[in-house]
Amino acid sequence: AQTIHQWPVAEIKAVGSPLSLGCTIKGKSSPNLYWYWQATGGTLQQLFYSITVGQVESVVQLNLSASRPKDDQFILSTEKLLLSHSGFYLCAWSLWGAEQYFGPGTRLTVL
Amino acid sequence: AQSVTQPDARVTVSEGASLQLRCKYSYFGTPYLFWYVQYPRQGLQLLLKYYPGDPVVQGVNGFEAEFSKSNSSFHLRKASVHWSDWAVYFCAVTSGGNYKPTFGKGTSLVVHP
């Protein structure tokens, strides 16, 4: 069975500090991978997607970047956090761009 | 452009009552439609999915949804709500090979005893 793991579970960071969030999918070969940001109040915003190793497409510009160094790994990062980066970050996977399966999320608080 | 509208930000029902959560979509082409549920402090879970075919689809925990092309709708229903259904429900539209699905803003379901 496929599993999706996100790390860390939660982070408290200072404005201006760097950030790296990770996502790993096990049990699925060559999945499509996605990063979402969810603000307090619940609206989902897709940030990035990747359909193959080494290729990442940006959906919105929020001073974040993403990379896919391995088939089963998706990394979200920034060198300088803003207050507006606070929220809930969700990783998801799919096959052929249809239904998505989400990870448990990482809660980020920027102070 | 594709869009999803969930007109009710919050729905309150009594336990045991029936439920309908509304979803209207706009999509150029053949839509695939989904309902997801999010419990507090968790990720989204797929509740049910519609691919072109039978307009009524069954999901987990007694949920079902009906696709209507004429009304551009994909409403979620449940005959008898349980307190454990208290969560936020998201409707989404995409299609095969489309890597940018569109989600609605979500409907918060509150269940009273």
Side-chain angles (χ1 to χ4, degrees):
Chain A
Q2 53 276 4
T3 58
I4 179 168
H5 176 59
Q6 288 188 242
W7 73 92
V9 172
E11 278 266 47
I12 300 175
K13 304 277 281 186
V15 169
S17 62
L19 174 76
S20 181
L21 304 181
C23 173
T24 298
I25 293 85
K26 296 297 184 187
K28 265 308 173 200
S29 179
S30 303
N32 304 310
L33 299 176
Y34 308 81
W35 276 113
Y36 289 88
W37 173 74
Q38 188 176 33
T40 303
T43 302
L44 278 168
Q45 173 65 63
Q46 186 180 358
L47 302 174
F48 301 93
Y49 70 90
S50 170
I51 61 175
T52 192
V53 175
Q55 290 187 4
V56 176
E57 300 295 329
S58 174
V59 178
V60 292
Q61 288 297 325
L62 288 179
N63 293 306
L64 296 166
S65 60
S67 64
R68 187 170 177 177
K70 296 192 284 186
D71 186 56
D72 63 353
Q73 195 173 79
F74 207 18
I75 307 296
L76 183 71
S77 60
T78 182
E79 292 188 0
K80 193 176 280 190
L81 277 167
L82 307 172
L83 285 174
S84 58
H85 286 138
S86 290
F88 197 44
Y89 288 84
L90 290 161
C91 179
W93 68 269
S94 76
L95 297 177
W96 62 283
E99 71 265 28
Q100 297 187 339
Y101 298 91
F102 287 79
T106 294
R107 185 157 303 280
L108 174 66
T109 302
V110 182
L111 302 175
Chain B
Q2 60 196 57
S3 67
V4 173
T5 301
Q6 293 181 247
D8 305 307
R10 182 177 164 121
V11 169
T12 301
V13 298
S14 298
E15 191 172 16
S18 63
L19 169 71
Q20 176 172 278
L21 301 182
R22 297 183 291 164
C23 173
K24 300 274 284 184
Y25 70 90
S26 173
Y27 195 81
F28 182 75
T30 302
Y32 298 165
L33 291 147
F34 309 92
W35 277 99
Y36 294 87
V37 60
Q38 186 177 31
Y39 300 103
R41 303 182 188 280
Q42 296 185 25
L44 278 69
Q45 299 175 31
L46 181 66
L47 203 54
L48 48 76
K49 58 189 177 186
Y50 167 80
Y51 295 146
D54 190 334
V56 179
V57 292
Q58 305 295 324
V60 298
N61 297 332
F63 284 94
E64 69 172 29
E66 183 166 4
F67 169 74
S68 171
K69 184 176 180 179
S70 59
N71 292 325
S72 297
S73 67
F74 188 57
H75 300 329
L76 181 70
R77 302 188 297 240
K78 187 171 184 179
S80 178
V81 171
H82 189 263
W83 66 266
S84 61
D85 295 325
W86 191 322
V88 180
Y89 293 79
F90 291 92
C91 181
V93 66
T94 187
S95 63
N98 179 356
Y99 303 104
K100 292 189 279 187
T102 297
F103 285 80
K105 293 184 177 182
T107 297
S108 178
L109 175 65
V110 176
V111 182
H112 284 317

